[in-house]
Amino acid sequence: GAIPRAAAMCVGAAELAPARAAAHAGARGCYARRAMTRARHEGPEGELYKPIQDELDAAYRFYGRMTSDLITISDRAGHILHANPVAERIFGCAPEAALGRSLFEFVHSEDRAKVVAAFEHWIAADGETSFLVESRSVSLRGDVRHLQWTVTPYREPGGPVRCLIAHARDVTGQVQWLERVKKSDGRHSAVLLSLLDPMVVIDGHGTVLEVSR
């Protein structure tokens, strides 16, 4: 298909295709251990079933479509090579429209320097590890959200980072609730302490925010 104009401007038409191929390889490498994707299951009689590579790949693609978290793959400069459907809610545009744009374009201006510095650190880091960072995002519609990011650089063995796979959870509701609690001057906590029956406060993701004593 045609390469989006933004993508051609950011990374160059000749560079985008191999970069996206490396990104998809990175997703498979980071989301599933190669030992798993090449695994064979032994039946009751000791026979080996066929490799389950295709089933696992299909399962990961299904997860990427259905999860409520944002998943992106970007190149070393931060240009988006892949985004799942949650991009519509977080970025304010369809996943296809996000391709070629810079991830930093969607970072709040007050958080951008921190995220850029972290991005450079992830690129330079050795070994296989994931990194955590929190930042505010701003969609093309102007919506501000608080995100918790888990970022995993993908590299060929002994080689440089090829792309970065990022998984972001929207924690806006949790952050807003904590801000309201702080503004209440302890009145909310006093209510919880006074209750005779146990009470648990959770956010929309089921995360426990507070428990009465």
Side-chain angles (χ1 to χ4, degrees):
I3 297 175
R5 180 178 300 177
M9 293 175 60
C10 291
V11 295
E15 299 177 4
L16 183 61
R20 291 187 65 182
H24 287 296
R28 290 194 297 272
C30 294
Y31 289 154
R33 296 294 183 185
R34 293 182 180 181
M36 287 183 59
T37 56
R38 291 179 173 83
R40 293 173 181 267
H41 288 288
E42 187 169 318
E45 304 300 326
E47 71 274 15
L48 293 178
Y49 297 146
K50 293 181 179 180
I52 60 172
Q53 172 77 53
D54 292 342
E55 288 84 350
L56 284 176
D57 286 347
Y60 285 118
R61 289 194 296 272
F62 177 78
Y63 171 77
R65 293 195 307 270
M66 300 303 295
T67 180
S68 61
D69 296 335
L70 174 66
I71 298 176
T72 66
I73 302 175
S74 62
D75 64 14
R76 290 168 55 91
H79 302 127
I80 299 171
L81 305 175
H82 167 80
N84 70 340
V86 181
E88 180 73 39
R89 174 164 55 88
I90 302 298
F91 293 155
C93 63
E96 296 78 11
L99 300 183
R101 289 179 177 270
S102 172
L103 272 176
F104 309 128
E105 175 183 346
F106 300 102
V107 177
H108 194 286
S109 59
E110 295 179 2
D111 295 343
R112 192 169 297 145
K114 175 185 72 173
V115 173
V116 169
F119 201 90
E120 294 174 348
H121 170 71
W122 302 332
I123 294 292
D126 295 327
E128 295 183 359
T129 187
S130 295
F131 302 92
L132 303 178
V133 68
E134 293 191 18
S135 68
R136 288 166 292 177
S137 69
V138 181
S139 73
L140 297 179
R141 297 185 294 262
D143 301 325
V144 178
R145 297 180 181 274
H146 292 260
L147 302 179
Q148 285 183 341
W149 293 87
T150 301
V151 181
T152 305
Y154 169 73
R155 68 179 77 233
E156 293 291 348
V161 171
R162 300 289 300 277
C163 59
L164 292 98
I165 298 95
H167 182 283
R169 171 155 295 180
D170 185 353
V171 294
T172 305
Q174 179 178 343
V175 171
Q176 291 176 343
W177 186 86
L178 291 174
E179 290 176 349
R180 288 196 297 269
V181 169
K182 292 178 181 178
K183 292 179 180 179
S184 69
D185 293 329
R187 289 191 296 271
H188 179 83
S189 297
V191 171
L192 288 179
L193 289 173
S194 66
L195 293 175
L196 297 178
D197 295 324
M199 178 176 176
V200 178
V201 180
I202 63 174
D203 64 11
H205 294 284
T207 302
V208 176
L209 301 178
E210 190 164 352
V211 179
S212 62
R213 297 180 180 178

